[in-house]
């Protein structure tokens, strides 16, 4: 069972990495430029027109031959076309091939932190970039380490905003979770996956990831089952009460659900 869960997580992470590569390529051309963005402009076979500059607060740059050009509010692709048109209409070049590389995205970014493969800041395509694309750019959740619950926080309508998203359900066939639309300044947080701890008379004692709705029986199976000396009778669950902080000792049926940070003790049989 564990290897199947790990394989599913690996496949999801791989899919997200592929999505991330295509999203990054798309975001470079669709990213809407704004004040503070650092860009590099190159024109094919025209080294003299190479320029690395920062867009001013007014959304403009000063470019050779063309003077002051307003690029703020344009996508990278549209900005490339605008410079190429200016060079062609000004009779400076017949067929200019202009390329703009976004060096530093200062005007629109999303921060991804926690248990992802590439935590960092990522440029945001204004108005249409979703959580799956940002997670793909970040390489997806670290398999077997990161939680499936992704937390997005930011500001909406001038008020603090926080949303928990059950990320695998974004890709479920039923589409039970929305692929959330991101906005400038959002932060994405992926915590560690919840764990339980099992010790005593089991084959593989220690910490294990707690899948959603996992039962005591499933945890015992993941631990390799009982040893020859182990018994299901009298299994003790040490569980901390969230309200009081007190640790309570419980006896559960094997089909009862576990909670994060439960400590399971399997006793030795007396017979």
């Amino acid at each position: 069972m564990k290897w199947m869960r790990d394989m599913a997580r690996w496949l999801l992470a791989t899919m997200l990495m592929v999505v991330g590569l295509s999203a990054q390529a798309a975001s470079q051309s669709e990213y809407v430029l704004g004040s503070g963005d650092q860009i590099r402009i190159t024109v094919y076979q025209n080294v003299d027109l190479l320029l690395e500059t920062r867009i001013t607060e007014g959304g403009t740059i000063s470019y050779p031959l063309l003077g002051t050009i307003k690029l703020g509010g344009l996508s990278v692709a549209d900005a490339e076309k605008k410079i190429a048109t200016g060079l062609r209409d000004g009779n400076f070049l017949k067929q200019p091939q202009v390329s703009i590389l976004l060096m530093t995205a200062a005007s629109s970014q999303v921060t991804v932190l926690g248990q992802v493969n590439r935590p960092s800041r990522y440029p945001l395509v204004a108005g249409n970039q979703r959580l799956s694309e940002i997670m793909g750019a970040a390489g997806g959740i670290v398999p077997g380490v990161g939680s499936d619950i992704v937390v997005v926080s930011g500001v909406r309508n001038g008020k603090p905003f926080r949303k928990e998203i059950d990320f695998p359900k974004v890709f479920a066939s039923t589409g039970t979770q929305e692929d959330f639309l991101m906005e400038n300044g959002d932060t994405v947080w992926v915590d560690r996956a919840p764990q339980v701890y099992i010790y005593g008379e089991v084959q593989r004692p220690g910490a294990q990831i707690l899948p959603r709705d996992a039962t005591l029986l499933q945890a015992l199976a993941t631990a390799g089952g009982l040893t020859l000396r182990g018994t299901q009778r009298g299994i003790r669950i040490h569980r901390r009460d969230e309200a009081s902080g007190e640790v309570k000792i419980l006896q559960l049926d094997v089909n009862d659900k576990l909670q994060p940070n439960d400590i399971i003790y399997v006793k030795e049989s007396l017979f």
Side-chain angles (χ1 to χ4, degrees):
M1 293 177 63
K2 183 176 183 298
W3 71 267
M4 292 179 67
R5 290 196 301 271
D6 290 344
M7 178 63 72
R9 286 171 174 266
W10 179 83
L11 288 172
L12 178 59
T14 302
M15 180 174 65
L16 284 172
M17 290 178 71
V18 173
V19 171
L21 291 175
S22 60
Q24 282 180 308
S27 65
Q28 280 289 318
S29 62
E30 297 174 8
Y31 177 83
V32 176
L33 297 169
S35 61
D37 287 344
Q38 184 82 15
I39 59 174
R40 178 184 294 164
I41 304 171
T42 56
V43 180
Y44 180 63
Q45 291 187 338
N46 286 270
V47 180
D48 292 342
L49 295 179
L50 171 66
L51 176 69
E52 185 168 324
T53 186
R54 187 177 301 276
I55 298 176
T56 68
E57 290 295 326
T60 64
I61 65 166
S62 179
Y63 192 70
L65 303 178
L66 301 181
T68 300
I69 307 176
K70 186 174 178 62
L71 299 184
L74 298 179
S75 69
V76 169
D78 288 341
E80 291 171 343
K81 292 177 183 177
K82 184 171 185 177
I83 294 174
T85 299
L87 293 173
R88 184 177 59 252
D89 292 351
N91 295 319
F92 300 113
L93 296 172
K94 289 185 177 180
Q95 293 182 324
Q97 298 179 37
V98 179
S99 176
I100 296 178
L101 176 64
L102 181 65
M103 305 294 291
T104 304
S107 61
S108 189
Q109 292 182 321
V110 172
T111 303
V112 185
L113 302 171
Q115 304 305 315
V116 294
N117 285 290
R118 294 188 295 273
S120 185
R121 291 182 178 178
Y122 292 92
L124 180 66
V125 178
N128 65 353
Q129 197 156 10
R130 298 187 178 274
L131 177 62
S132 62
E133 296 174 297
I134 294 296
M135 290 295 292
I141 299 170
V142 179
V145 178
S147 170
D148 289 339
I149 303 300
V150 175
V151 179
V152 179
S153 59
V155 177
R156 296 292 187 277
N157 299 319
K159 298 179 180 179
F161 170 85
R162 184 180 187 275
K163 184 177 180 67
E164 293 187 0
I165 298 171
D166 193 342
F167 194 56
K169 290 185 177 180
V170 171
F171 301 94
S173 58
T174 55
T176 54
Q177 194 84 68
E178 177 189 4
D179 195 1
F180 190 69
L181 192 65
M182 308 297 293
E183 291 190 8
N184 179 37
D186 281 350
T187 298
V188 178
W189 168 255
V190 180
D191 206 345
R192 285 188 172 273
Q195 292 183 315
V196 294
Y197 307 87
I198 185 167
Y199 70 108
E201 297 300 328
V202 291
Q203 300 289 344
R204 294 190 295 273
Q208 59 178 254
I209 297 296
L210 177 64
R212 70 191 67 213
D213 300 325
T215 64
L216 173 57
L217 183 60
Q218 289 172 317
L220 293 173
T222 302
L226 307 182
T227 66
L228 294 176
R229 296 177 297 180
T231 176
Q232 287 188 13
R233 293 183 178 181
I235 292 178
R236 299 289 189 268
I237 309 295
H238 297 252
R239 178 176 295 169
R240 185 178 298 277
D241 184 85
E242 292 185 0
S244 64
E246 178 185 356
V247 176
K248 299 180 179 180
I249 300 177
L250 311 173
Q251 281 189 275
L252 302 182
D253 182 82
V254 291
N255 292 316
D256 287 341
K257 294 179 183 179
L258 296 171
Q259 294 184 11
N261 299 315
D262 277 351
I263 300 175
I264 306 161
Y265 174 57
V266 179
K267 299 174 63 175
E268 181 179 358
S269 174
L270 300 177
F271 303 99

